[in-house]
């Protein structure tokens, strides 16, 4: 069985093709904002301009006749961006006369992580630009045990990066700065129950910049504080649920310090830590293709009349028959 998947929730227009055993092809084109953060309409414009090129690159590697299903990111994400992916997917499904499958984007991050690492029943820390959630399976669904009360950790880091004039996306740049940090400066540590909040850290970090603190120390303290909050909630979820695996997914998961902190927490509690290769951490078409393939194997498909995009689609809404 071969599945093609289209990802277009935010910054990346990406198409992946997978079989049950491997990723066969993955091609994409990233939208980079000229200034500021991701502008939904501009990103959608970008996606519609590159969609044809990206698909052409895929079909240099894969014969369209081999494809058994067309999957797409149905949400959550930015409405205008989602609509481009959904439109391309509908067109392709009709043209190839194959089933269409609408995939929950967060579920796809979790499933590609499990697939590529071999984690079976983990507590997943999903950290990306727009989302930050602690997810685990209970009964026939994934549930969110903790999440951000305001912005995603990726957006928080990107906002701080913009303030100090670093190029977008700021995550990798801030990570490099933080490696040269020498001194920890106190930051707002906000964990409420199982939820967390990052906007206070961003505001505080900006203030410290204005006051002339060393930028490397601010980046270091930002990461240490925000990541400690994420690790605390992840550990608590593992303890409550009695789970012995931790899986890290989402673009921010590429951060070595976050991986190290989660790894240490897992070692301390005799748990196992898993992280997929960086290429599959951030938004990509392969994760949509793979989750679509799982859904198709279990008889799930999306009728055209049900294929509208869902910008607020929650992972809890999806029943998981596997
Ligand atoms: P996603 O939405 O899952 O594709 O993730 C995108 C986010 O990941 C952006 O906010 C990036 O700044 C962030 N990101 C990428 N690499 C890193 C890194 N090494 N450290 C922290 N954040 C990162
Ligand atoms: Mg994502």
């Amino acid at each position: 069985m071969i599945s093609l998947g289209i990802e277009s929730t935010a910054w990346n227009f990406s198409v992946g093709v997978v079989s049950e055993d491997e990723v066969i092809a993955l091609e994409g084109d990233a939208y980079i904002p000229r200034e500021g953060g991701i502008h939904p309409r501009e990103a959608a414009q970008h996606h519609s301009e590159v969609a044809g090129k990206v698909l052409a690159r895929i079909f240099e590697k894969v014969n369209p006749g081999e494809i058994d299903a067309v999957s797409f990111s149905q949400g959550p994400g930015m409405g205008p961006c989602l609509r481009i992916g959904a439109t391309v997917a509908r067109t392709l499904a009709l043209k190839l006369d194959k089933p269409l499958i609408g995939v929950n984007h967060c579920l796809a991050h979790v499933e590609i992580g499990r697939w590529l690492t071999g984690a079976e029943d983990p507590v997943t820390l999903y950290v990306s630009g727009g989302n930050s959630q602690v997810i685990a399976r209970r009964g026939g669904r994934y549930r969110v045990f903790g999440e951000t009360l305001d912005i995603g950790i990726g957006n928080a880091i990107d906002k701080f990066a913009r303030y100090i004039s670093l190029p977008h996306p700021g995550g990798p740049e801030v990570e490099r700065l933080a490696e040269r940090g020498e001194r920890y400066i106190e930051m707002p540590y906000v964990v409420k129950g199982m939820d967390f909040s990052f906007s206070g850290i961003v505001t505080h970090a900006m203030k410290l910049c204005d006051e002339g603190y060393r930028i490397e120390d601010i980046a270091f303290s930002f990461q240490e504080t925000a990541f400690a909050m994420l690790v605390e909630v992840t550990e608590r979820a593992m303890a409550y649920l009695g789970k012995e695996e931790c899986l890290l997914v989402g673009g921010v998961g590429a951060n070595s310090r976050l991986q190290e902190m989660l790894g240490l927490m897992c070692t301390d509690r005799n748990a196992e830590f898993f992280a997929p290769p960086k290429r599959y951490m951030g938004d990509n078409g392969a994760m949509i293709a793979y989750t679509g393939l799982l859904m198709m194997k279990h008889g799930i498909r999306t009728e055209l009349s049900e294929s509208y995009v869902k910008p607020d689609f929650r992972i809890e809404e999806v029943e998981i028959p596997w």
Side-chain angles (χ1 to χ4, degrees), residues 196-214:
F196 29 80
S197 145
F198 298 113
S199 55
I201 300 185
V202 179
T203 313
H204 194 71
M206 289 173 174
K207 192 170 133 255
L208 293 173
C209 293
D210 296 345
E211 287 170 4
Y213 281 84
R214 221 175 133 249

PDB file of all heavy atoms in Angstrom, residues 196-214:
ATOM      1  N   PHE A 196       0.913  25.152  30.735  1.00  0.00           N
ATOM      2  CA  PHE A 196       2.034  26.075  30.852  1.00  0.00           C
ATOM      3  C   PHE A 196       1.795  27.288  29.969  1.00  0.00           C
ATOM      4  O   PHE A 196       0.908  27.277  29.115  1.00  0.00           O
ATOM      5  CB  PHE A 196       3.358  25.395  30.472  1.00  0.00           C
ATOM      6  CG  PHE A 196       3.205  24.283  29.467  1.00  0.00           C
ATOM      7  CD1 PHE A 196       3.074  24.557  28.117  1.00  0.00           C
ATOM      8  CD2 PHE A 196       3.145  22.953  29.879  1.00  0.00           C
ATOM      9  CE1 PHE A 196       2.919  23.540  27.197  1.00  0.00           C
ATOM     10  CE2 PHE A 196       2.988  21.923  28.946  1.00  0.00           C
ATOM     11  CZ  PHE A 196       2.875  22.217  27.609  1.00  0.00           C
ATOM     12  N   SER A 197       2.597  28.320  30.190  1.00  0.00           N
ATOM     13  CA  SER A 197       2.408  29.566  29.446  1.00  0.00           C
ATOM     14  C   SER A 197       3.776  30.183  29.156  1.00  0.00           C
ATOM     15  O   SER A 197       4.673  30.141  30.007  1.00  0.00           O
ATOM     16  CB  SER A 197       1.530  30.490  30.298  1.00  0.00           C
ATOM     17  OG  SER A 197       1.906  31.825  30.127  1.00  0.00           O
ATOM     18  N   PHE A 198       3.933  30.731  27.960  1.00  0.00           N
ATOM     19  CA  PHE A 198       5.260  31.220  27.554  1.00  0.00           C
ATOM     20  C   PHE A 198       5.346  32.720  27.307  1.00  0.00           C
ATOM     21  O   PHE A 198       6.441  33.248  27.150  1.00  0.00           O
ATOM     22  CB  PHE A 198       5.721  30.501  26.279  1.00  0.00           C
ATOM     23  CG  PHE A 198       5.868  29.026  26.468  1.00  0.00           C
ATOM     24  CD1 PHE A 198       5.024  28.142  25.811  1.00  0.00           C
ATOM     25  CD2 PHE A 198       6.830  28.517  27.320  1.00  0.00           C
ATOM     26  CE1 PHE A 198       5.150  26.771  25.996  1.00  0.00           C
ATOM     27  CE2 PHE A 198       6.968  27.149  27.516  1.00  0.00           C
ATOM     28  CZ  PHE A 198       6.122  26.277  26.850  1.00  0.00           C
ATOM     29  N   SER A 199       4.191  33.404  27.240  1.00  0.00           N
ATOM     30  CA  SER A 199       4.288  34.808  26.827  1.00  0.00           C
ATOM     31  C   SER A 199       5.031  35.649  27.869  1.00  0.00           C
ATOM     32  O   SER A 199       5.712  36.612  27.516  1.00  0.00           O
ATOM     33  CB  SER A 199       2.908  35.386  26.515  1.00  0.00           C
ATOM     34  OG  SER A 199       2.067  35.219  27.617  1.00  0.00           O
ATOM     35  N   GLY A 200       4.927  35.264  29.150  1.00  0.00           N
ATOM     36  CA  GLY A 200       5.653  35.999  30.196  1.00  0.00           C
ATOM     37  C   GLY A 200       7.158  35.921  30.001  1.00  0.00           C
ATOM     38  O   GLY A 200       7.880  36.903  30.216  1.00  0.00           O
ATOM     39  N   ILE A 201       7.647  34.772  29.579  1.00  0.00           N
ATOM     40  CA  ILE A 201       9.089  34.614  29.348  1.00  0.00           C
ATOM     41  C   ILE A 201       9.530  35.526  28.196  1.00  0.00           C
ATOM     42  O   ILE A 201      10.571  36.176  28.274  1.00  0.00           O
ATOM     43  CB  ILE A 201       9.445  33.147  29.001  1.00  0.00           C
ATOM     44  CG1 ILE A 201       9.052  32.219  30.146  1.00  0.00           C
ATOM     45  CG2 ILE A 201      10.932  33.014  28.680  1.00  0.00           C
ATOM     46  CD1 ILE A 201       9.472  30.776  29.946  1.00  0.00           C
ATOM     47  N   VAL A 202       8.708  35.586  27.145  1.00  0.00           N
ATOM     48  CA  VAL A 202       9.069  36.414  25.985  1.00  0.00           C
ATOM     49  C   VAL A 202       9.189  37.879  26.411  1.00  0.00           C
ATOM     50  O   VAL A 202      10.185  38.552  26.123  1.00  0.00           O
ATOM     51  CB  VAL A 202       8.030  36.273  24.847  1.00  0.00           C
ATOM     52  CG1 VAL A 202       8.410  37.149  23.666  1.00  0.00           C
ATOM     53  CG2 VAL A 202       7.902  34.826  24.403  1.00  0.00           C
ATOM     54  N   THR A 203       8.167  38.358  27.122  1.00  0.00           N
ATOM     55  CA  THR A 203       8.170  39.758  27.561  1.00  0.00           C
ATOM     56  C   THR A 203       9.379  40.039  28.447  1.00  0.00           C
ATOM     57  O   THR A 203      10.066  41.058  28.286  1.00  0.00           O
ATOM     58  CB  THR A 203       6.877  40.072  28.356  1.00  0.00           C
ATOM     59  OG1 THR A 203       5.786  39.551  27.609  1.00  0.00           O
ATOM     60  CG2 THR A 203       6.697  41.548  28.574  1.00  0.00           C
ATOM     61  N   HIS A 204       9.652  39.097  29.350  1.00  0.00           N
ATOM     62  CA  HIS A 204      10.765  39.287  30.274  1.00  0.00           C
ATOM     63  C   HIS A 204      12.099  39.301  29.515  1.00  0.00           C
ATOM     64  O   HIS A 204      12.974  40.128  29.790  1.00  0.00           O
ATOM     65  CB  HIS A 204      10.752  38.175  31.321  1.00  0.00           C
ATOM     66  CG  HIS A 204      11.642  38.469  32.493  1.00  0.00           C
ATOM     67  ND1 HIS A 204      11.349  39.428  33.434  1.00  0.00           N
ATOM     68  CD2 HIS A 204      12.836  37.940  32.845  1.00  0.00           C
ATOM     69  CE1 HIS A 204      12.322  39.478  34.329  1.00  0.00           C
ATOM     70  NE2 HIS A 204      13.241  38.583  33.999  1.00  0.00           N
ATOM     71  N   ALA A 205      12.224  38.391  28.560  1.00  0.00           N
ATOM     72  CA  ALA A 205      13.472  38.309  27.793  1.00  0.00           C
ATOM     73  C   ALA A 205      13.694  39.614  27.019  1.00  0.00           C
ATOM     74  O   ALA A 205      14.821  40.130  26.943  1.00  0.00           O
ATOM     75  CB  ALA A 205      13.423  37.123  26.836  1.00  0.00           C
ATOM     76  N   MET A 206      12.613  40.184  26.472  1.00  0.00           N
ATOM     77  CA  MET A 206      12.738  41.451  25.731  1.00  0.00           C
ATOM     78  C   MET A 206      13.211  42.568  26.662  1.00  0.00           C
ATOM     79  O   MET A 206      14.059  43.388  26.301  1.00  0.00           O
ATOM     80  CB  MET A 206      11.392  41.828  25.116  1.00  0.00           C
ATOM     81  CG  MET A 206      10.985  40.921  23.956  1.00  0.00           C
ATOM     82  SD  MET A 206       9.298  41.305  23.444  1.00  0.00           S
ATOM     83  CE  MET A 206       9.153  40.269  21.994  1.00  0.00           C
ATOM     84  N   LYS A 207      12.643  42.553  27.871  1.00  0.00           N
ATOM     85  CA  LYS A 207      13.009  43.586  28.850  1.00  0.00           C
ATOM     86  C   LYS A 207      14.497  43.470  29.214  1.00  0.00           C
ATOM     87  O   LYS A 207      15.209  44.473  29.279  1.00  0.00           O
ATOM     88  CB  LYS A 207      12.127  43.408  30.100  1.00  0.00           C
ATOM     89  CG  LYS A 207      12.190  44.554  31.075  1.00  0.00           C
ATOM     90  CD  LYS A 207      11.118  44.413  32.163  1.00  0.00           C
ATOM     91  CE  LYS A 207      11.709  44.662  33.533  1.00  0.00           C
ATOM     92  NZ  LYS A 207      11.933  43.510  34.369  1.00  0.00           N
ATOM     93  N   LEU A 208      14.955  42.245  29.388  1.00  0.00           N
ATOM     94  CA  LEU A 208      16.367  42.034  29.725  1.00  0.00           C
ATOM     95  C   LEU A 208      17.278  42.522  28.589  1.00  0.00           C
ATOM     96  O   LEU A 208      18.355  43.069  28.844  1.00  0.00           O
ATOM     97  CB  LEU A 208      16.640  40.553  30.014  1.00  0.00           C
ATOM     98  CG  LEU A 208      15.978  39.977  31.277  1.00  0.00           C
ATOM     99  CD1 LEU A 208      16.175  38.471  31.353  1.00  0.00           C
ATOM    100  CD2 LEU A 208      16.546  40.645  32.540  1.00  0.00           C
ATOM    101  N   CYS A 209      16.815  42.350  27.346  1.00  0.00           N
ATOM    102  CA  CYS A 209      17.591  42.864  26.193  1.00  0.00           C
ATOM    103  C   CYS A 209      17.726  44.375  26.302  1.00  0.00           C
ATOM    104  O   CYS A 209      18.819  44.927  26.161  1.00  0.00           O
ATOM    105  CB  CYS A 209      16.901  42.544  24.873  1.00  0.00           C
ATOM    106  SG  CYS A 209      16.853  40.815  24.469  1.00  0.00           S
ATOM    107  N   ASP A 210      16.582  45.029  26.568  1.00  0.00           N
ATOM    108  CA  ASP A 210      16.583  46.500  26.676  1.00  0.00           C
ATOM    109  C   ASP A 210      17.497  46.969  27.796  1.00  0.00           C
ATOM    110  O   ASP A 210      18.080  48.047  27.725  1.00  0.00           O
ATOM    111  CB  ASP A 210      15.162  47.028  26.945  1.00  0.00           C
ATOM    112  CG  ASP A 210      14.227  46.730  25.777  1.00  0.00           C
ATOM    113  OD1 ASP A 210      14.737  46.391  24.695  1.00  0.00           O
ATOM    114  OD2 ASP A 210      12.992  46.809  25.959  1.00  0.00           O
ATOM    115  N   GLU A 211      17.604  46.147  28.844  1.00  0.00           N
ATOM    116  CA  GLU A 211      18.426  46.555  29.996  1.00  0.00           C
ATOM    117  C   GLU A 211      19.903  46.242  29.791  1.00  0.00           C
ATOM    118  O   GLU A 211      20.718  46.483  30.680  1.00  0.00           O
ATOM    119  CB  GLU A 211      17.906  45.853  31.263  1.00  0.00           C
ATOM    120  CG  GLU A 211      16.572  46.436  31.739  1.00  0.00           C
ATOM    121  CD  GLU A 211      15.916  45.605  32.844  1.00  0.00           C
ATOM    122  OE1 GLU A 211      16.523  44.615  33.312  1.00  0.00           O
ATOM    123  OE2 GLU A 211      14.783  45.953  33.228  1.00  0.00           O
ATOM    124  N   GLY A 212      20.215  45.648  28.639  1.00  0.00           N
ATOM    125  CA  GLY A 212      21.619  45.454  28.297  1.00  0.00           C
ATOM    126  C   GLY A 212      22.260  44.167  28.806  1.00  0.00           C
ATOM    127  O   GLY A 212      23.481  44.038  28.810  1.00  0.00           O
ATOM    128  N   TYR A 213      21.459  43.210  29.230  1.00  0.00           N
ATOM    129  CA  TYR A 213      22.037  41.920  29.638  1.00  0.00           C
ATOM    130  C   TYR A 213      22.670  41.232  28.436  1.00  0.00           C
ATOM    131  O   TYR A 213      22.281  41.488  27.292  1.00  0.00           O
ATOM    132  CB  TYR A 213      20.955  41.010  30.236  1.00  0.00           C
ATOM    133  CG  TYR A 213      20.609  41.351  31.661  1.00  0.00           C
ATOM    134  CD1 TYR A 213      19.681  42.349  31.965  1.00  0.00           C
ATOM    135  CD2 TYR A 213      21.205  40.653  32.722  1.00  0.00           C
ATOM    136  CE1 TYR A 213      19.362  42.675  33.263  1.00  0.00           C
ATOM    137  CE2 TYR A 213      20.886  40.964  34.036  1.00  0.00           C
ATOM    138  CZ  TYR A 213      19.969  41.976  34.295  1.00  0.00           C
ATOM    139  OH  TYR A 213      19.654  42.286  35.593  1.00  0.00           O
ATOM    140  N   ARG A 214      23.616  40.351  28.694  1.00  0.00           N
ATOM    141  CA  ARG A 214      24.282  39.608  27.614  1.00  0.00           C
ATOM    142  C   ARG A 214      23.260  38.729  26.905  1.00  0.00           C
ATOM    143  O   ARG A 214      22.552  37.954  27.533  1.00  0.00           O
ATOM    144  CB  ARG A 214      25.379  38.726  28.225  1.00  0.00           C
ATOM    145  CG  ARG A 214      26.653  38.695  27.447  1.00  0.00           C
ATOM    146  CD  ARG A 214      27.701  37.888  28.204  1.00  0.00           C
ATOM    147  NE  ARG A 214      28.330  36.977  27.270  1.00  0.00           N
ATOM    148  CZ  ARG A 214      28.193  35.662  27.275  1.00  0.00           C
ATOM    149  NH1 ARG A 214      27.452  35.074  28.175  1.00  0.00           N
ATOM    150  NH2 ARG A 214      28.819  34.937  26.368  1.00  0.00           N
TER     151      ARG A 214
END
